[in-house]
Amino acid sequence: METEIMRAVDEMGPYVAAALAAYGAGVLSRAEDASADATVNAGRHILLRVWSRISPTRRLMLQQAVEDAVTTGPAADDGAAALRVQLRHALREDPRLVEELRNLLVTAPRTVTASGERSVAVGGDNTGVVSTADGARITVHGGRTTDPASS
């Protein structure tokens, strides 16, 4: 179960970070913003779902972790770690919450960005070859070779 909790917290990370960046420490009390993108709203929904299921004492700890993450920046190690710890505590206390949040993530949008020369971004599964090399020759199972220059 601990591995599942760790994986779920890792999967929630980008969504929660986006919500913190958009809403700041008010993420737990602010109304949903129709103009916020789906990733931000998914992160906010995750935090609110956790918030609604934890004790008042744990809520204070989660609020402090959110404030720390906002102060240090959601990508900073200390703030993000404190928030992950509080999320793990909440998931340990309510194992059903793990499955609920993972189901929420299944429907959450994925934001994929490729930046830089020859970058590639795949927003889902890729069953083919991705190559950014000049003059690449790609051999596919069965010995068939493709030459991008001739196609």
Side-chain angles (χ1 to χ4, degrees), residues 109-126:
R110 293 181 186 172
T111 301
V112 180
T113 304
S115 63
E117 188 176 336
R118 298 181 187 247
S119 295
V120 175
V122 177
D125 295 332
N126 176 45

Side-chain angles (χ1 to χ4, degrees), residues 30-92:
R30 188 163 168 195
E32 185 169 318
D33 183 352
S35 68
D37 75 17
T39 301
V40 169
N41 283 327
R44 186 174 169 282
H45 286 280
I46 289 166
L47 287 170
L48 290 175
R49 179 81 51 100
V50 171
W51 180 264
S52 71
R53 301 279 283 275
I54 56 179
S55 69
T57 302
R58 184 69 61 202
R59 283 183 182 172
L60 290 173
M61 297 168 81
L62 179 61
Q63 178 68 40
Q64 184 61 54
V66 165
E67 290 171 9
D68 289 347
V70 169
T71 301
T72 63
D77 289 341
D78 292 345
L83 188 51
R84 283 193 309 270
V85 166
Q86 291 309 313
L87 290 171
R88 281 196 306 266
H89 283 304
L91 296 178
R92 280 188 202 114

Side-chain angles (χ1 to χ4, degrees), residues 88-109:
R88 281 196 306 266
H89 283 304
L91 296 178
R92 280 188 202 114
E93 290 176 6
D94 189 348
R96 291 176 300 167
L97 188 55
V98 174
E99 192 60 32
E100 285 179 37
L101 293 175
R102 294 190 94 183
N103 288 336
L104 192 146
L105 288 173
V106 168
T107 62

Side-chain angles (χ1 to χ4, degrees), residues 14 16 20 29 31-32 36 58 101 121 141 144:
V16 171
L20 293 179
S29 60
E32 185 169 318
R58 184 69 61 202
L101 293 175
H141 294 287
R144 194 180 83 213

